[in-house]
């Protein structure tokens, strides 16, 4: 009983410290910061109730990140120029979510500042699991209850209730047949 209270106190102190350090960070009730958080370049981050953050979780860019309740982020890197939305009960392993390309594609524009065509929002619906070293790219929606396998590059939308793996992504299992 005492140990549980001590652990809750440690998490409360960490939440308070991060709220003071990052004014653009909003933390829900009972968020557990087991590692560290880093916010860069003006990103606005909202983390839902009872979400756990392990190791170093990084957020960067001028956009907005919303993480739902009861999630686990483990050494995740989220780069946003528009928005990244993570639903409730999601598991994000050591992966990257990037809603932008950072560079223009046409050869004559590659050294110009990134334009609007280089970015699009990312949405992970509820109960999505993204494996280690996966890369979720701009404009992607990953459907509810889906799994993105380790080291997968997700360039197009993922339907609900499937497992995708590989580069390019391929659907290898459907949960609701």
């Amino acid at each position: 009983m005492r140990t549980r209270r001590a652990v809750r106190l440690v998490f409360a102190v960490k939440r308070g410290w991060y709220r003071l350090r990052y004014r653009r960070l909003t933390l829900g009730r009972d968020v557990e910061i087991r590692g560290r958080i880093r916010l860069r370049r003006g990103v606005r981050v909202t983390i839902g109730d009872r979400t756990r953050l392990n190791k170093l979780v990084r957020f960067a860019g001028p956009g907005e990140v919303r993480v739902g309740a009861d999630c686990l982020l483990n050494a995740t890197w989220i780069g946003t120029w528009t928005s990244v939305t993570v639903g409730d009960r999601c598991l994000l392993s050591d992966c990257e979510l990037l809603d932008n390309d950072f560079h223009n594609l046409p050869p004559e524009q590659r050294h110009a500042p990134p334009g609007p065509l280089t970015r699009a929002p990312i949405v992970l619906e509820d109960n999505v699991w993204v494996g280690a070293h996966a890369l979720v790219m701009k404009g992607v929606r990953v459907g509810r209850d889906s799994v993105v396998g380790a080291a997968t590059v997700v360039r197009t939308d993922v339907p609900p209730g499937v497992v995708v793996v590989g580069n390019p992504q391929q659907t290898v299992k459907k949960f609701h047949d």
Side-chain angles (χ1 to χ4, degrees), residues 30-32 47-53 67-71 73:
D30 300 324
V31 169
E32 294 182 7
I47 298 176
D49 298 343
R50 299 171 306 281
T51 290
R52 296 162 293 155
L53 296 101
V67 178
D70 301 305
C71 293
L73 281 68

Side-chain angles (χ1 to χ4, degrees), residues 35 67 100 145:
V67 178
N100 61 85
D145 300 328

Side-chain angles (χ1 to χ4, degrees), residues 8-162:
R8 285 185 182 170
L9 179 61
V10 168
F11 288 135
V13 168
K14 279 186 113 173
R15 283 192 303 270
W17 187 82
Y18 277 108
R19 283 181 178 126
L20 288 173
R21 181 171 182 187
Y22 297 117
R23 290 181 300 163
R24 294 176 174 253
L25 174 64
T26 303
L27 298 172
R29 284 183 301 108
D30 300 324
V31 169
E32 294 182 7
I33 304 168
R34 298 175 178 180
R36 297 179 299 148
I37 302 174
R38 184 176 298 153
L39 276 66
R40 299 275 193 229
R41 304 185 89 193
V43 65
R44 292 175 311 282
V45 178
T46 303
I47 298 176
D49 298 343
R50 299 171 306 281
T51 290
R52 296 162 293 155
L53 296 101
N54 292 335
K55 300 183 182 177
L56 174 60
V57 178
R58 298 172 294 164
F59 304 94
E64 183 173 353
V65 177
R66 280 180 250 111
V67 178
D70 301 305
C71 293
L72 170 64
L73 281 68
N74 190 49
T76 304
W77 189 72
I78 299 176
T80 179
W81 280 64
T82 59
S83 69
V84 173
T85 304
V86 177
D88 296 335
R89 299 178 328 279
C90 289
L91 303 171
L92 304 182
S93 191
D94 185 3
C95 62
E96 295 182 13
L97 284 68
L98 303 173
D99 74 352
N100 61 85
D101 295 333
F102 297 103
H103 301 283
N104 298 300
L105 187 60
E108 65 278 357
Q109 296 176 6
R110 284 189 191 150
H111 295 279
L117 295 177
T118 64
R119 49 191 171 257
I122 293 174
V123 176
L124 304 184
E125 295 180 0
D126 292 345
N127 200 32
V128 167
W129 179 10
V130 181
H133 307 293
L135 172 61
V136 179
M137 299 178 75
K138 71 176 184 178
V140 167
R141 175 178 289 272
V142 179
R144 171 186 209 91
D145 300 328
S146 288
V147 176
V148 174
T152 298
V153 177
V154 182
R155 300 181 329 177
T156 60
D157 288 351
V158 175
V162 300

Side-chain angles (χ1 to χ4, degrees), residues 1-13:
M1 187 73 134
R2 255 186 217 164
T3 305
R4 186 178 290 161
R5 262 188 263 166
V7 169
R8 285 185 182 170
L9 179 61
V10 168
F11 288 135
V13 168

